[in-house]
Amino acid sequence: MSKEDIIYDVIVVGAGIEGSSTAYQLAKRGQSTLLLEQFLLPHSRGSSHGQTRINRRAYLQATYSAMMKQNAEEWNILEKECGEKLYNNCGTLVVSRPSMLEGVETRLNANKAPYRALTGPEMKSEFPNVTLPDDYVGIYDYQGGILFADKSLRAFQEQFKKYGGTLRDGEQVHDVIPGDIVILKTTTGNQFRGRNVVLALGPYTNNLLAKTGLQLPLQVVRIPIFYWKEKVAGMYSPDKFPCFIDETASEGESIYGLPSLEYPGLVKICLHAGPVVDPHKREDVDSTWVRERMMKYIAKTFPWLNPVPAIEETCIYTNSPDKHLFLDRHPKYENIIIAAGFSGHGFKLAPIVGKILSDLVQAKTPAFDMDWFKISRFDKGGENLSSKL
Ligand SMILES: Cc1cc2nc3c(=O)[nH]c(=O)nc-3n(C[C@H](O)[C@H](O)[C@H](O)COP(=O)(O)OP(=O)(O)OC[C@H]3O[C@@H](n4cnc5c(N)ncnc54)[C@H](O)[C@@H]3O)c2cc1C
């Protein structure tokens, strides 16, 4: 049979972490699944590359908080299946003013997640390598830590293939012809047919959605990733410094950091914001203001780091207006399912996102309240549910 004759149960477009996790889950459930990626793998032109991401259970929103237990179990399953360490459980410390963290504590309690609340003086004595404002408190999330991003992405893709899935890179889908059998055309001249399609396109979402008459309210931003050199080697190693999120760090934006691990002696600390950019021209934008803001923050908050970045890399966020995800069917074509708007916090969620999207493909009801992830939440006149998340 030629590839033109095959009708897949599902075609997933986009082999970032969300598409790869979804394809893995579908193949594991016995669905004949094709995963298409526009670039040759591995690549750094999406949002899922790099060595590390923060994991945490400490979420303010009830919906995410409820997902995190099962999500953690799924990460463990993947780790066992691939036989490689994907996670360093060094903990995650979330800091802010008390009013910002009350809700997080409520959610952690509701979901019986292990954590410890820290007063300002307790933080000072336990983490003398960080200087925080006097009115700050903290939550130490015991199950938080570092996900090894490149390894996790590879693990999903390798396990997907082991479960019988087909992965084709270098296949940019440029047209979508909806129908009971959806036809996808790629720039190499191939076309592929599937009963269901999942689009997990990261920053390129609206380019392809335009072919289906849909545009989502997404904003693509360039995030500079900074690595800062320890003045004394080992001051911020994972045994002395966990993953770190300052929720109220800089003019309303949070700042997050990971201990020195991926590059010896260098600590990754970044602003959770950046300039708007076209993902095809990500170099054509000035992000000097981010660098300057970060240098001031590092000088003030991390006395044992050199406040001039040693390395600067880039990554891309695809933000929705409320910074929450879209996990939904296409409003016109119910066998086209969309995953978008991960807004800089989607990596850790990939296993549960894969399960939810697979449920939608298989017409099963996901175990979580899907109202929060609906495309229609921003419809004119519609109620924006995000404030109740
Ligand atoms: C600097 C940075 C730090 C982050 N830190 C964290 C963190 O600590 N914790 C956390 O949970 N999350 C974090 N995130 C967010 C997380 O990494 C993203 O939410 C996640 O990687 C998004 O994955 P994705 O699969 O949606 O997108 P992508 O990784 O961009 O994948 C989309 C894929 O689709 C492909 N594609 C697009 N269009 C087509 C087409 N037409 N045909 C074929 N293929 C196509 C693209 O090439 C790409 O490979 C961070 C992100 C960045 C940038």
Side-chain angles (χ1 to χ4, degrees), residues 115-129:
Y115 77 95
R116 195 155 53 94
L118 293 157
T119 62
E122 282 168 342
M123 287 203 290
K124 264 194 190 121
S125 84
E126 258 180 73
F127 303 105
N129 45 11

Side-chain angles (χ1 to χ4, degrees), residues 13-19 36-39 43 46-48 53-54 171-173 200-204 208 223 225 256 315-317 342-349:
V13 188
I17 197 70
E18 314 301 344
L36 294 176
E37 167 55 45
Q38 62 182 345
F39 299 125
H43 74 84
S47 300
S48 302
R53 294 290 188 277
I54 296 178
E171 294 278 8
Q172 182 180 38
V173 177
L201 308 168
Y204 307 93
L208 194 58
I223 303 295
I225 307 166
Y256 58 91
C315 193
I316 296 278
Y317 285 179
F342 287 89
S343 306
H345 62 113
F347 203 95
K348 73 181 83 54
L349 299 168

Side-chain angles (χ1 to χ4, degrees), residues 61-93:
Q61 298 84 5
T63 310
Y64 295 113
S65 189
M67 291 174 171
M68 297 317 281
K69 185 166 183 288
Q70 201 185 345
N71 194 53
E73 287 162 7
E74 289 295 324
W75 276 117
N76 289 339
I77 291 170
L78 180 69
E79 203 173 44
K80 281 206 186 87
E81 283 183 3
C82 75
E84 199 175 359
K85 194 168 160 48
L86 303 179
Y87 192 44
N88 179 320
N89 180 208
C90 61
T92 296
L93 176 68

Side-chain angles (χ1 to χ4, degrees), residues 235-260:
M235 279 303 280
Y236 296 93
S237 55
D239 55 327
K240 298 197 188 72
F241 179 66
C243 292
F244 170 86
I245 301 171
D246 181 343
E247 292 284 19
T248 27
S250 172
E251 298 174 33
E253 295 296 349
S254 59
I255 283 177
Y256 58 91
L258 295 88
S260 60

Side-chain angles (χ1 to χ4, degrees), residues 178-360:
D180 288 344
I181 306 292
V182 183
I183 299 173
L184 300 178
K185 295 185 178 180
T186 69
T187 46
T188 54
N190 288 323
Q191 63 179 44
F192 301 96
R193 298 190 292 160
R195 289 182 193 85
N196 299 279
V197 164
V198 176
L199 301 177
L201 308 168
Y204 307 93
T205 298
N206 277 332
N207 297 6
L208 194 58
L209 279 185
K211 300 286 178 175
T212 68
L214 180 67
Q215 289 292 272
L216 295 178
L218 295 172
Q219 198 173 53
V220 177
V221 293
R222 172 172 135 164
I223 303 295
I225 307 166
F226 299 110
Y227 294 85
W228 312 85
K229 193 169 177 2
E230 291 174 322
K231 289 179 184 165
V232 177
M235 279 303 280
Y236 296 93
S237 55
D239 55 327
K240 298 197 188 72
F241 179 66
C243 292
F244 170 86
I245 301 171
D246 181 343
E247 292 284 19
T248 27
S250 172
E251 298 174 33
E253 295 296 349
S254 59
I255 283 177
Y256 58 91
L258 295 88
S260 60
L261 185 70
E262 50 185 286
Y263 302 130
L266 299 182
V267 182
K268 177 158 101 175
I269 306 179
C270 316
L271 184 70
H272 194 55
V276 175
V277 71
D278 173 344
H280 297 283
K281 300 181 196 159
R282 65 176 71 188
E283 283 74 27
D284 296 357
V285 71
D286 181 16
S287 56
T288 319
W289 61 271
V290 182
R291 184 187 165 95
E292 282 168 2
R293 237 203 249 184
M294 284 304 299
M295 284 170 57
K296 273 193 207 142
Y297 181 81
I298 296 294
K300 191 174 69 178
T301 314
F302 288 92
W304 297 98
L305 291 179
N306 182 350
V308 177
I311 301 178
E312 182 174 340
E313 296 173 353
T314 64
C315 193
I316 296 278
Y317 285 179
T318 309
N319 292 339
S320 71
D322 58 7
K323 306 274 174 74
H324 301 302
L325 328 180
F326 293 112
L327 303 176
D328 202 358
R329 294 182 193 285
H330 191 290
K332 262 174 87 180
Y333 309 111
E334 66 165 22
N335 58 349
I336 299 180
I337 287 154
I338 298 162
F342 287 89
S343 306
H345 62 113
F347 203 95
K348 73 181 83 54
L349 299 168
I352 204 72
V353 165
K355 290 201 90 147
I356 289 172
L357 297 177
S358 302
D359 285 347
L360 292 179

